[in-house]
Amino acid sequence: MDIIINLSVGVIALIIGWAATSSYWKKVIANKSSSIIKEADLKAEAIKNEKILLAKEKSFQMRKEFDKQAQERNSKIANTENRLKQKESSFLQRKEDLQRKNKELEIGKKEVETLNSNVSKQLELIDKKNKELDKLLKDQIEQLQNVAAMSAEQAKALLIDSLKAEAKTEAMSYINDIMEDAKMTANKEAKRIIMQTIQRVASENIIENSVTVFNIDSDEIKGRIIGREGRNIRALEAATGVEIIVDDTPEAIVLSAFDSVRREIARLALHKLVTDGRIHPARIEEVVKKTKKQIEEEIIEVGKRTAIDLGIHGLHPELIRLVGKMKYRSSYGQNLLQHSRETANLCAIMASELGLNPKIAKRAGLLHDIGKVPDDEPELSHAVFGMKLAEKYKEKPEVCNAIGSHHDEVEMTSLIAPLVQTCDAISGARPGARREVVDSYIKRLKDLEELALSYPGVMKTYAIQAGRELRVIVGSDKISDKESDTLSYDIAKKIQTEMTYPGQIKITVIRETRSVNYAK
């Protein structure tokens, strides 16, 4: 029983304690709840204000975009309205143009109808006139046949024959005029090409002869060269084939031989012997042998260098050697290699001007005198022998023919042949090319000028173009135009009778009147 009471009292105490605790917690919870509610209210208010601001900003942006879109739509509408107005105005303009053209077409139709009616009337009149003309023509033809006692076909044939004869005469006259003009033009063009070619080629003037002077330092060396009882000089002459002249000329020995290769071998051998100091027959033979080998190598090298310089390829080695050998050969004092190089260049330039193959022309020009440097003395002329050599070493037929015919010993079969002949003459005949030509050339020019000055009224004379033209200046107060023609003719005749010259000389008499005043 006591237990039950104690339990009851405990329970009641627990209940009373719980109630007291519960009221406390209620107050705590109520306070907490009120603070949470207030905080929530504040947050809600802040969120509300933020949302309102965002809404206002978004509304402002939307309004701005709307205004922008509205403005773009308005501008598009305005542009569309402007285009429509322009189209409407152009349409109205086209409409007005069409209306105007329609009016013009209507007026044109009326004019065309009027013209058609007039044309039809004119055609009727023309037909009528044609019929009348045909009738008159028939009547006239009948009258002519009665008078001429021949038919219309016979008269037509007679007229055609007379017209043919007249046309043939006129054609022949026209052809003659054309031929004369062509000849004049051809001569002028040929002179131009030759003059340009000569002016474009300039080569050295090398004059050689049949003797070579070997200079020595003292006359003592002469005795060493002669040797005991002349054995050294005899050995040297036998080895080289050159005549060695040792005379009283101080410090000089003369080497004489027609073959310039032998002279060069002898000169070089002497130079080596004198430099070395050992001069005796065995040494002479050794040095001459080495010198011959050296000269042969130099000849081949000169030939190769010449071919390379001229751009000529595919020459046979033997032809290259002969070309190099030309260096030691002269023709009338003119070095043969220089002459051949010059002829080759002249041929190439003139062939280019004439539309021919310049390579073949240059090849023929270089080889045209190849027959002048044979290893043996042939019985044939150098032109024919050179042609045989070229044929032997498989040169082209045009080249062979040009070599053989450049002195008219063989008939020319190609255009290259006369070209080589002409260039050979140009190279050999130009002033200064060959021995003693310079002096005679200058004298001839002076004689030309003095001959023209001997005539009365002549003031000045000038020989130009290497003596191919003489310019004569006369006083206008002393000689008239007609007398100028007579003077030119007289000078030409006197030159023909009194002077010797190559080719022809053009005499030009110049008469001029000058009026001079001074502005002060």
Side-chain angles (χ1 to χ4, degrees), residues 376-431:
D376 300 322
E377 291 296 328
E379 296 179 358
L380 300 172
S381 65
H382 77 274
V384 178
F385 183 68
M387 180 182 70
K388 298 291 184 185
L389 284 174
E391 290 174 348
K392 178 181 178 181
Y393 297 117
K394 309 299 181 185
E395 285 295 320
K396 292 185 178 180
E398 299 95 324
V399 176
C400 298
N401 179 254
I403 295 171
S405 62
H406 77 276
H407 286 312
D408 293 322
E409 294 173 315
V410 176
E411 184 181 357
M412 296 181 181
T413 59
S414 68
L415 292 175
I416 300 295
L419 197 63
V420 172
Q421 186 183 52
T422 303
C423 296
D424 176 41
I426 291 171
S427 175
R430 62 177 175 77

Side-chain angles (χ1 to χ4, degrees), residues 133-367:
L133 287 172
D134 289 339
K135 186 178 179 182
L136 287 172
L137 184 61
K138 288 180 180 178
D139 293 341
Q140 287 180 359
I141 289 172
E142 290 177 358
Q143 290 176 5
L144 285 172
Q145 288 178 353
N146 293 329
V147 172
M150 66 175 65
S151 64
E153 294 297 329
Q154 292 174 343
K156 189 186 294 184
L158 182 63
L159 180 62
I160 289 171
D161 291 338
S162 64
L163 288 174
K164 280 183 179 179
E166 185 178 356
K168 189 174 181 181
T169 303
E170 290 181 359
M172 289 298 295
S173 175
Y174 185 65
I175 289 169
N176 289 332
D177 292 340
I178 291 175
M179 290 295 291
E180 290 296 326
D181 185 58
K183 286 179 181 178
M184 291 176 65
T185 306
N187 289 333
K188 185 177 180 181
E189 185 67 14
K191 290 176 183 178
R192 181 189 69 80
I193 291 172
I194 291 172
M195 291 305 299
Q196 284 186 356
T197 304
I198 295 172
Q199 290 169 1
R200 287 170 61 184
V201 175
S203 64
E204 300 175 356
N205 300 330
I206 299 176
I207 296 176
E208 296 182 357
N209 46 36
S210 60
V211 296
T212 299
V213 177
F214 180 75
N215 296 313
I216 55 179
D217 295 334
S218 64
D219 290 338
E220 294 179 4
I221 300 175
K222 288 184 179 180
R224 294 174 60 190
I225 292 172
I226 295 171
R228 184 180 298 175
E229 298 178 356
R231 63 176 186 174
N232 290 345
I233 196 169
R234 285 198 301 273
L236 191 58
E237 287 179 343
T240 59
V242 174
E243 182 183 0
I244 300 174
I245 303 171
V246 181
D247 52 16
D248 295 335
T249 306
E251 298 181 356
I253 295 174
V254 178
L255 309 177
S256 176
F258 180 75
D259 191 337
S260 55
V261 177
R262 292 179 182 176
R263 288 204 316 273
E264 183 66 13
I265 292 171
R267 187 187 70 81
L268 289 176
L270 262 177
H271 178 73
K272 291 178 180 179
L273 289 167
V274 170
T275 303
D276 183 56
R278 294 176 294 169
I279 306 175
H280 52 81
R283 177 66 177 164
I284 289 171
E285 290 180 3
E286 180 186 354
V287 171
V288 169
K289 187 176 181 181
K290 288 181 180 179
T291 306
K292 283 182 179 179
K293 186 177 180 181
Q294 178 185 343
I295 290 293
E296 282 294 327
E297 291 175 354
E298 184 179 349
I299 285 172
I300 294 171
E301 183 62 28
V302 168
K304 289 181 180 179
R305 189 165 59 249
T306 301
I308 291 170
D309 290 345
L310 294 174
I312 297 174
H313 306 287
L315 276 178
H316 192 276
E318 185 61 24
L319 291 179
I320 290 176
R321 189 181 71 83
L322 292 175
V323 169
K325 199 174 177 182
M326 289 181 185
K327 178 183 177 182
Y328 303 100
R329 175 76 159 82
S330 62
S331 177
Y332 299 98
Q334 185 181 25
N335 182 268
L336 189 60
L337 180 61
Q338 291 294 337
H339 166 63
S340 298
R341 287 173 66 106
E342 187 177 62
T343 303
N345 287 322
L346 287 168
C347 288
I349 295 169
M350 293 180 70
S352 299
E353 292 285 342
L354 297 171
L356 302 175
N357 190 331
K359 291 185 179 180
I360 295 178
K362 185 181 286 187
R363 199 180 191 97
L366 177 64
L367 300 176

